[in-house]
């Protein structure tokens, strides 16, 4: 399954984000990399929110966002209505957030996972799809919390 995918990070994760971009482009995804491109310190909340808005609007189907731990950028993304983002450091969790939680964004920590594992996590996330069924009412409950 392919489509448009947005990628962003803070300054700590530029190299890993670029490796992920090349990896998913090779799989046929259209990558929208919204930076940054220089190593100066940059605020992860702004980057996470910008990518999340692109997913929430439907401009991009999915998003992959990175910071040092993945936690802060994930928290920022989840403030945007319509976004369900999880931080993952293993392939099982990446698959489950898609299958059970209908996650549309994945957060990674560049200081937590190496490139090889990060690519495997991204692959697991992208290959999975929402199971629906018994999980659908729970996802609707999450959506209802947005107000």
């Amino acid at each position: 399954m392919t489509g448009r995918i947005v990628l962003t990070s803070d300054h700590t994760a530029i190299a890993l984000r670029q490796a992920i971009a090349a990896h998913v482009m090779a799989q046929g995804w259209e990558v929208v990399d919204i930076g940054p491109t220089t190593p100066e310190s940059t605020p992860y909340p702004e980057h996470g929110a910008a990518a999340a808005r692109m997913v929430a609007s439907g401009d991009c189907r999915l998003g992959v966002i990175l910071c040092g731990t993945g936690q802060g950028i994930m928290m920022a993304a989840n403030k945007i209505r319509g976004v369900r983002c999880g931080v993952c450091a293993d392939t099982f969790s990446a698959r489950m957030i898609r299958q059970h939680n209908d996650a549309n964004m994945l957060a990674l920590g560049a200081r937590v996972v190496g490139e090889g594992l990060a690519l495997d996590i991204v692959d697991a996330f992208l290959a999975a799809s929402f199971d629906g069924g018994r999980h659908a009412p729970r996802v609707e409950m999450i959506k209802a919390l947005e107000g």
Side-chain angles (χ1 to χ4, degrees):
M1 191 175 280
T2 57
R4 282 171 58 91
I5 186 168
V6 62
L7 275 74
T8 194
S9 68
D10 69 359
H11 57 284
T12 67
I14 293 171
L16 183 54
R17 185 191 78 237
Q18 291 171 339
I20 292 168
H23 181 74
V24 298
M25 278 194 303
Q27 296 175 8
W29 286 87
E30 180 184 346
V31 172
V32 180
D33 186 335
I34 59 172
T37 57
T38 59
E40 292 82 28
S41 182
T42 184
Y44 62 80
E46 291 178 7
H47 297 290
R53 286 186 186 99
M54 293 182 76
V55 171
S57 73
D59 185 34
C60 291
R61 209 168 112 238
L62 297 170
V64 177
I65 57 179
L66 303 92
C67 67
T69 64
Q71 299 291 345
I73 202 162
M74 178 266 304
M75 291 177 194
N78 278 324
K79 297 295 182 183
I80 305 302
R81 182 183 187 89
V83 168
R84 287 171 308 285
C85 182
V87 62
C88 296
D90 62 90
T91 57
F92 177 79
S93 296
R95 189 170 53 255
M96 290 298 105
I97 65 170
R98 292 278 291 137
Q99 290 178 344
H100 291 190
N101 310 117
D102 199 18
N104 48 17
M105 296 188 76
L106 168 68
L108 296 168
R111 294 178 175 155
V112 178
V113 298
E115 183 178 319
L117 179 55
L119 297 179
D120 286 348
I121 292 167
V122 169
D123 286 346
F125 179 77
L126 297 178
S129 60
F130 184 48
D131 286 346
R134 66 187 169 95
H135 305 291
R138 297 173 188 139
V139 171
E140 289 304 315
M141 291 172 77
I142 293 170
K143 290 177 183 178
L145 293 171
E146 295 177 333

